[in-house]
mmCIF file of all heavy atoms in Angstrom:
data_model
loop_
_atom_site.group_PDB
_atom_site.id
_atom_site.type_symbol
_atom_site.label_atom_id
_atom_site.label_comp_id
_atom_site.label_asym_id
_atom_site.label_seq_id
_atom_site.Cartn_x
_atom_site.Cartn_y
_atom_site.Cartn_z
ATOM 1 N N ALA P 60 -13.475 -4.835 5.790
ATOM 2 C CA ALA P 60 -14.757 -5.347 5.310
ATOM 3 C C ALA P 60 -15.707 -5.703 6.450
ATOM 4 O O ALA P 60 -16.924 -5.683 6.271
ATOM 5 C CB ALA P 60 -14.532 -6.563 4.417
ATOM 6 N N ALA P 61 -15.168 -6.000 7.613
ATOM 7 C CA ALA P 61 -15.993 -6.404 8.755
ATOM 8 C C ALA P 61 -16.280 -5.187 9.645
ATOM 9 O O ALA P 61 -15.346 -4.561 10.146
ATOM 10 C CB ALA P 61 -15.280 -7.483 9.561
ATOM 11 N N PRO P 62 -17.543 -4.847 9.837
ATOM 12 C CA PRO P 62 -17.864 -3.665 10.637
ATOM 13 C C PRO P 62 -17.222 -3.662 12.025
ATOM 14 O O PRO P 62 -16.789 -2.625 12.511
ATOM 15 C CB PRO P 62 -19.390 -3.706 10.738
ATOM 16 C CG PRO P 62 -19.817 -4.441 9.506
ATOM 17 C CD PRO P 62 -18.734 -5.477 9.281
ATOM 18 N N ARG P 63 -17.132 -4.825 12.649
ATOM 19 C CA ARG P 63 -16.605 -4.903 14.013
ATOM 20 C C ARG P 63 -15.132 -4.494 14.097
ATOM 21 O O ARG P 63 -14.694 -3.944 15.107
ATOM 22 C CB ARG P 63 -16.788 -6.321 14.538
ATOM 23 C CG ARG P 63 -16.310 -6.500 15.961
ATOM 24 C CD ARG P 63 -16.553 -7.885 16.433
ATOM 25 N NE ARG P 63 -17.923 -7.944 16.931
ATOM 26 C CZ ARG P 63 -18.522 -9.049 17.337
ATOM 27 N NH1 ARG P 63 -17.899 -10.189 17.273
ATOM 28 N NH2 ARG P 63 -19.750 -9.010 17.789
ATOM 29 N N THR P 64 -14.366 -4.757 13.055
ATOM 30 C CA THR P 64 -12.926 -4.462 13.067
ATOM 31 C C THR P 64 -12.542 -3.308 12.145
ATOM 32 O O THR P 64 -11.362 -3.004 11.991
ATOM 33 C CB THR P 64 -12.131 -5.716 12.651
ATOM 34 O OG1 THR P 64 -12.582 -6.142 11.358
ATOM 35 C CG2 THR P 64 -12.291 -6.839 13.667
ATOM 36 N N ARG P 65 -13.539 -2.666 11.551
ATOM 37 C CA ARG P 65 -13.285 -1.642 10.536
ATOM 38 C C ARG P 65 -12.436 -0.485 11.055
ATOM 39 O O ARG P 65 -11.476 -0.078 10.413
ATOM 40 C CB ARG P 65 -14.611 -1.132 9.989
ATOM 41 C CG ARG P 65 -14.436 -0.155 8.849
ATOM 42 C CD ARG P 65 -15.746 0.083 8.152
ATOM 43 N NE ARG P 65 -16.128 -1.129 7.451
ATOM 44 C CZ ARG P 65 -17.389 -1.535 7.298
ATOM 45 N NH1 ARG P 65 -18.385 -0.824 7.774
ATOM 46 N NH2 ARG P 65 -17.648 -2.650 6.652
ATOM 47 N N ARG P 66 -12.792 0.056 12.192
ATOM 48 C CA ARG P 66 -12.075 1.237 12.700
ATOM 49 C C ARG P 66 -10.600 0.917 12.966
ATOM 50 O O ARG P 66 -9.705 1.644 12.527
ATOM 51 C CB ARG P 66 -12.738 1.773 13.964
ATOM 52 C CG ARG P 66 -12.011 3.000 14.523
ATOM 53 C CD ARG P 66 -12.780 3.699 15.630
ATOM 54 N NE ARG P 66 -13.832 4.479 14.990
ATOM 55 C CZ ARG P 66 -15.122 4.447 15.330
ATOM 56 N NH1 ARG P 66 -15.526 3.687 16.313
ATOM 57 N NH2 ARG P 66 -16.003 5.179 14.705
ATOM 58 N N ALA P 67 -10.327 -0.169 13.654
ATOM 59 C CA ALA P 67 -8.935 -0.537 13.948
ATOM 60 C C ALA P 67 -8.171 -0.853 12.664
ATOM 61 O O ALA P 67 -7.004 -0.461 12.512
ATOM 62 C CB ALA P 67 -8.889 -1.737 14.897
ATOM 63 N N SER P 68 -8.822 -1.533 11.734
ATOM 64 C CA SER P 68 -8.155 -1.876 10.472
ATOM 65 C C SER P 68 -7.890 -0.636 9.629
ATOM 66 O O SER P 68 -6.865 -0.548 8.950
ATOM 67 C CB SER P 68 -8.989 -2.880 9.682
ATOM 68 O OG SER P 68 -9.035 -4.104 10.376
ATOM 69 N N ALA P 69 -8.799 0.313 9.661
ATOM 70 C CA ALA P 69 -8.582 1.557 8.914
ATOM 71 C C ALA P 69 -7.391 2.323 9.488
ATOM 72 O O ALA P 69 -6.548 2.833 8.737
ATOM 73 C CB ALA P 69 -9.847 2.413 8.943
ATOM 74 N N ARG P 70 -7.313 2.382 10.782
ATOM 75 C CA ARG P 70 -6.159 3.062 11.411
ATOM 76 C C ARG P 70 -4.862 2.326 11.086
ATOM 77 O O ARG P 70 -3.837 2.942 10.792
ATOM 78 C CB ARG P 70 -6.376 3.168 12.913
ATOM 79 C CG ARG P 70 -7.452 4.167 13.272
ATOM 80 C CD ARG P 70 -7.697 4.247 14.747
ATOM 81 N NE ARG P 70 -8.718 5.242 15.041
ATOM 82 C CZ ARG P 70 -9.467 5.238 16.115
ATOM 83 N NH1 ARG P 70 -9.309 4.294 17.028
ATOM 84 N NH2 ARG P 70 -10.367 6.175 16.298
ATOM 85 N N ALA P 71 -4.907 1.009 11.140
ATOM 86 C CA ALA P 71 -3.716 0.218 10.800
ATOM 87 C C ALA P 71 -3.364 0.394 9.320
ATOM 88 O O ALA P 71 -2.182 0.413 8.965
ATOM 89 C CB ALA P 71 -3.958 -1.258 11.122
#
Side-chain angles (χ1 to χ4, degrees):
R63 182 178 275 175
T64 57
R65 185 168 291 146
R66 180 170 282 129
S68 294
R70 289 178 179 156

